[in-house]
Amino acid sequence: MTNLTPVLSATWDAEQSWKLSTYTDHGGYGALTKALGMEPADLIAAVKDSGLRGRGGAGFPTGMKWGFLPPDDGKPRYLVVNADESEPGTCKDIPTMLSAPHLLVEGVAITSFAIGSNHAFIYLRGEVVHVYRRLMQAVREAYEAGHLGKDIHGSGFDLDVTVHAGAGAYICGEETALLDSLEGRRGQPRLKPPFPAVEGLYARPTVVNNVESIASVPSIVDKGVEWFTAMGTERSKGMGLFSLSGHVTKPGQYEAPLGITLRELLEMAGGMRNGRPLKFWTPGGSSTPLFTDEHLDTPLDYESVGAAGSMLGTRALQLFDDTTCVVRAVTRWTEFYKHESCGKCTPCREGTFWLAQILERIEDGHGTDADIQQLLDTCESILGRAFCALGDGATSCITSSVKLFRDEYEQHIQQGACPFDHSASALFDYDSAPAPEEAHA
């Protein structure tokens, strides 16, 4: 498997790819017309049969999630698109919305029709103002063209779409915290059950799906279930965006069938920078256990990555060469999780704080042998005990890095300093340690 499969990214390099005219020139909204001529139950069945799994990280079957909604009682039900992409290394939904916003809008319309929703929300991370403007423009164009609003395509189906800009909290990527934020409350996870399918936005049945999941729906409707299932592996069907970043010659988005390997992706990306050896990498973002060069041939699908001891997550492949201090990298990620913890539960609120303190002490060369065990003990106190997955994710890079690179932690302690030249691992030139007179200038 060495071929890319541009589906979501097929029009990214087209001139003004974000415009409605460009999208329709490439067959856009044809799937919506086809979907409106089908029975909603048949649409749900098609998505189930396609094997499309949630592209937001968990990999839960999309059609099955739609099927969890209770029977229609004549009252409102909602679709909410989780566009709050903000985990370190994860950068697939933002370029999708920036380059092909109408693909998402069409997916929203088809999904809303399938689940019987007349009001859909796209919850976008507020810092990406340029993407917010693109989405707003796309929604406006769709209304003007009759793809949204009243009696869409003469089908009798009505749909309003609201684009909501969040306030920039990582925790709002958790679906119930997102719903609280959307309702105007502080973004914090809810106790489950009840699950959103039963009692979600405004206490009504709600489907919450990731951007890439919804954007994959039009192609399934347009090209058929068999076309989609021909890609991927037996239990991980279809294609997906793989985000390569870090010490790679040509970082970027690579859309390929699930099951491709990092070795194949690296060949297409020109290999590691300057030909240096790969030291460690994340298969699914900073919240997934680390892999090394031993995992270059692990198929990047949900089952294979899980069997190898990590998670596919959002397919955020951050690659680090041998100039990188693993303690430094893990410390930066942990500082992020400490900062982004919502504080609702004690294990995550207190645990991430102490993890960051211990890691910073080790990185600065002031750690002790007991600190390594304390790190593992603190991770164990958090894992499975936090209110949501943020706490669990914060422990993944720590426990896996200690398992794989314990000698590096011990080096920091024994030498009383970091043994790496930090400037060597940077992607740009800088002085890692300014002279004292410069530091106080």
Side-chain angles (χ1 to χ4, degrees):
M1 184 190 301
T2 55
N3 295 325
L4 298 177
T5 53
V7 178
L8 304 178
S9 59
T11 62
W12 285 11
D13 59 352
E15 186 176 354
Q16 292 189 315
S17 63
W18 56 90
K19 294 282 191 179
L20 175 62
S21 56
T22 305
Y23 187 62
T24 53
D25 286 345
H26 289 80
Y29 289 104
L32 175 59
T33 301
K34 182 177 180 180
L36 292 173
M38 298 171 62
E39 290 295 324
D42 293 337
L43 277 173
I44 295 175
V47 174
K48 283 183 179 178
D49 293 342
S50 74
L52 174 65
R53 296 176 65 169
R55 302 300 199 231
F60 192 83
T62 302
M64 186 180 296
K65 178 181 277 193
W66 296 2
F68 286 157
L69 291 180
D72 190 0
D73 59 0
K75 297 179 181 179
R77 54 180 56 200
Y78 301 102
L79 168 66
V80 176
V81 178
N82 185 346
D84 191 60
E85 182 175 67
S86 52
E87 181 166 314
T90 302
C91 50
K92 61 186 180 62
D93 294 340
I94 295 298
T96 299
M97 292 182 286
L98 189 64
S99 301
H102 280 283
L103 182 62
L104 175 60
V105 174
E106 184 177 19
V108 165
I110 294 172
T111 304
S112 298
F113 176 70
I115 67 173
S117 170
N118 298 113
H119 196 168
F121 294 82
I122 302 173
Y123 185 101
L124 178 69
R125 187 161 184 81
E127 288 93 338
V128 287
V129 178
H130 56 306
V131 181
Y132 179 70
R133 290 169 178 160
R134 283 276 169 88
L135 271 178
M136 291 290 284
Q137 179 188 6
V139 169
R140 183 167 56 250
E141 286 182 324
Y143 268 106
E144 292 171 353
H147 303 311
L148 297 177
K150 301 294 184 183
D151 191 24
I152 298 173
H153 294 195
S155 64
F157 175 63
D158 302 335
L159 176 64
D160 286 315
V161 174
T162 299
V163 181
H164 178 90
Y170 171 68
I171 190 63
C172 289
E174 196 279 332
E175 62 179 12
T176 60
L178 183 155
L179 295 177
D180 265 18
S181 176
L182 195 53
E183 291 178 0
R185 294 194 290 272
R186 182 176 181 176
Q188 290 187 327
R190 298 177 181 177
L191 184 65
K192 294 183 284 190
F195 292 93
V198 176
E199 189 174 311
L201 185 65
Y202 307 129
R204 294 295 302 159
T206 303
V207 166
V208 183
N209 275 136
N210 170 263
V211 168
E212 190 181 349
S213 307
I214 296 299
S216 299
V217 171
S219 61
I220 295 173
V221 173
D222 183 41
K223 299 181 180 181
V225 170
E226 291 183 2
W227 164 84
F228 189 80
T229 56
M231 295 179 286
T233 62
E234 183 179 354
R235 295 177 59 190
S236 297
K237 302 293 187 181
M239 69 293 163
L241 292 168
F242 294 83
S243 308
L244 270 66
S245 63
H247 297 149
V248 60
T249 302
K250 293 187 290 186
Q253 308 296 330
Y254 293 81
E255 189 173 5
L258 297 183
I260 196 170
T261 65
L262 178 58
R263 188 183 300 278
E264 293 170 299
L265 288 169
L266 260 179
E267 288 176 4
M268 290 183 276
M272 298 294 290
R273 63 163 187 171
N274 301 324
R276 298 199 69 94
L278 173 65
K279 182 176 179 179
F280 65 95
W281 56 288
T282 64
S286 60
S287 63
T288 59
L290 303 181
F291 274 171
T292 65
D293 59 354
E294 295 180 2
H295 302 92
L296 275 170
D297 296 310
T298 299
L300 294 175
D301 60 62
Y302 295 99
E303 290 70 38
S304 300
V305 173
S310 189
M311 296 177 289
L312 188 60
T314 54
R315 284 154 282 117
L317 281 63
Q318 300 171 91
L319 282 65
F320 300 87
D321 64 24
D322 61 347
T323 64
T324 309
C325 171
V326 70
V327 177
R328 183 176 175 82
V330 168
T331 301
R332 297 300 169 270
W333 287 329
T334 305
E335 288 171 341
F336 169 82
Y337 290 113
K338 178 194 74 172
H339 180 270
E340 294 296 337
S341 174
C342 74
K344 183 168 185 174
C345 69
T346 304
C348 181
R349 181 185 66 244
E350 300 298 322
T352 53
F353 172 82
W354 286 110
L355 287 174
Q357 295 289 310
I358 299 168
L359 283 166
E360 288 165 10
R361 187 162 66 237
I362 294 174
E363 186 196 354
D364 291 340
H366 304 306
T368 66
D369 291 333
D371 281 336
I372 299 177
Q373 187 57 48
Q374 185 60 61
L375 272 179
L376 298 176
D377 291 345
T378 305
C379 287
E380 188 176 347
S381 297
I382 299 172
L383 188 63
R385 295 173 174 84
F387 207 85
C388 75
L390 190 153
D392 291 355
T395 69
S396 296
C397 60
I398 297 174
T399 53
S400 60
S401 66
V402 172
K403 179 181 178 180
L404 295 169
F405 301 100
R406 190 183 187 103
D407 58 334
E408 201 163 297
Y409 281 85
E410 292 171 346
Q411 270 186 288
H412 284 73
I413 295 168
Q414 293 164 3
Q415 297 181 17
C418 179
F420 288 84
D421 176 8
H422 299 158
S423 63
S425 63
L427 293 175
F428 50 87
D429 295 329
Y430 80 107
D431 294 327
S432 60
E437 59 272 14
E438 294 177 355
H440 296 288

